[in-house]
Amino acid sequence: MDEIDSRLLATLQREADITAQDLGDRLGLSASQAARRKARLEADGFITGYSARLAPPRLGLTVQAFVQVQMAAHSPETAQGFLRLIGTLPEIVACWTLTGEADYLLRVWCADLPALNALIHHRLLPHPAVARVQSQIVMDQPKADAGLPV
């Protein structure tokens, strides 16, 4: 990967829908050279997909929260059962396993506080693998989700 590849990746993180012509213009390449580099970076696994960033409020999603989950047991079976549950919940948009007191960190988008309450009290806490849940509601996001440093 060279400096042009780094610039190409940085550009795609900001504008995934850029045309090959515009990408080439920004990189000082022809459209076909830019397209070939992009295809190579895709094939080599540097680019794993493309997506659109949606506006949560326009979709009726006004509450973003981070939910920490502490497991009651740590067997592979209970972990798989919990992961199957969160896979069925569209409000959970990301999940990480952690070191420390919490076992999982969930990023959640809900319509409102009652919806967040229902998610926690009616879906997460009743699961037999869950011992404890702690949530933090996002008040503001001064820095939007950003691309990786390339």
Side-chain angles (χ1 to χ4, degrees), residues 77-117:
E77 296 81 23
T78 57
Q80 286 304 315
F82 178 71
L83 293 175
R84 276 193 301 277
L85 169 68
I86 65 169
T88 68
L89 301 171
E91 302 92 338
I92 300 173
V93 298
C95 173
W96 299 270
T97 58
L98 305 173
T99 61
E101 191 173 322
D103 296 299
Y104 294 95
L105 177 64
L106 311 177
R107 185 178 186 188
V108 174
W109 277 100
C110 293
D112 51 27
L113 289 175
L116 176 62
N117 184 58

Side-chain angles (χ1 to χ4, degrees), residues 13-14 51 63 65-66 74 97 101 107 109 123 128 136:
Q13 283 189 119
R14 288 187 310 274
S51 63
V63 174
F66 289 92
H74 292 89
T97 58
E101 191 173 322
R107 185 178 186 188
W109 277 100
R123 300 303 311 250
Q136 294 84 32

Side-chain angles (χ1 to χ4, degrees), residues 29-91:
L29 302 172
S30 69
S32 62
Q33 289 172 317
R36 278 195 300 276
R37 278 183 179 257
K38 179 180 170 189
R40 180 180 44 80
L41 291 168
E42 291 168 348
D44 290 348
F46 286 93
I47 300 169
T48 60
Y50 298 91
S51 63
R53 291 186 186 173
L54 306 180
R58 299 285 299 179
L59 299 169
L61 302 170
T62 63
V63 174
Q64 180 179 200
F66 289 92
V67 179
Q68 296 178 31
V69 178
Q70 187 174 12
M71 303 301 280
H74 292 89
S75 72
E77 296 81 23
T78 57
Q80 286 304 315
F82 178 71
L83 293 175
R84 276 193 301 277
L85 169 68
I86 65 169
T88 68
L89 301 171
E91 302 92 338

